[in-house]
Amino acid sequence: MALLRIRLTGDDDAIRGVINLLQSLDGIEHVEEVDDLMPHLDDDDSSSAGLSDTSGPDLHEIEIDVPNPSTGRKVREAVEALAFDLDAMVEFEEDEE
């Protein structure tokens, strides 16, 4: 079984849509959104703190256990198509276990 990581840049609706899609696919047993472990570089006393032009779309990371390469391809194709429709950007990383 392989671990597929997805990094999605988009709003909360995009992440919910992708997670719902992943949970509905046959052969997928485990889908998990992983917390952001990187510290944010915003400085509370910065002159630009909280300005709307400094905040962009959110970055989300999802981990999925895929049972075989064929299912992994199906996941990538489905997520790419949905991300395009939701105006989100998606990256994939796969680890063989």
Side-chain angles (χ1 to χ4, degrees):
M1 188 168 289
L3 179 66
L4 180 63
R5 287 186 188 90
I6 298 175
R7 280 191 274 321
L8 183 104
T9 304
D11 60 14
D12 289 340
D13 290 337
I15 190 69
R16 274 192 298 274
V18 169
I19 288 175
N20 288 340
L21 169 72
L22 291 168
Q23 291 174 336
S24 72
L25 294 175
D26 288 335
I28 302 299
E29 295 179 9
H30 179 76
V31 176
E32 180 179 1
E33 184 175 5
V34 181
D35 286 337
D36 183 10
L37 301 176
M38 294 295 296
H40 294 281
L41 301 177
D42 295 341
D43 187 0
D44 290 337
D45 62 351
S46 172
S47 62
S48 60
L51 294 178
S52 62
D53 62 342
T54 61
S55 63
D58 292 331
L59 178 68
H60 303 272
E61 188 164 328
I62 305 168
E63 290 184 351
I64 307 132
D65 289 329
V66 292
N68 55 53
S70 175
T71 302
R73 279 191 302 278
K74 290 177 187 176
V75 165
R76 284 189 291 277
E77 290 170 2
V79 170
E80 284 175 348
L82 182 59
F84 180 81
D85 290 343
L86 296 174
D87 198 28
M89 188 190 82
V90 66
E91 293 178 73
F92 299 95
E93 181 182 325
E94 190 167 350
D95 290 339
E96 293 292 326
E97 292 184 355

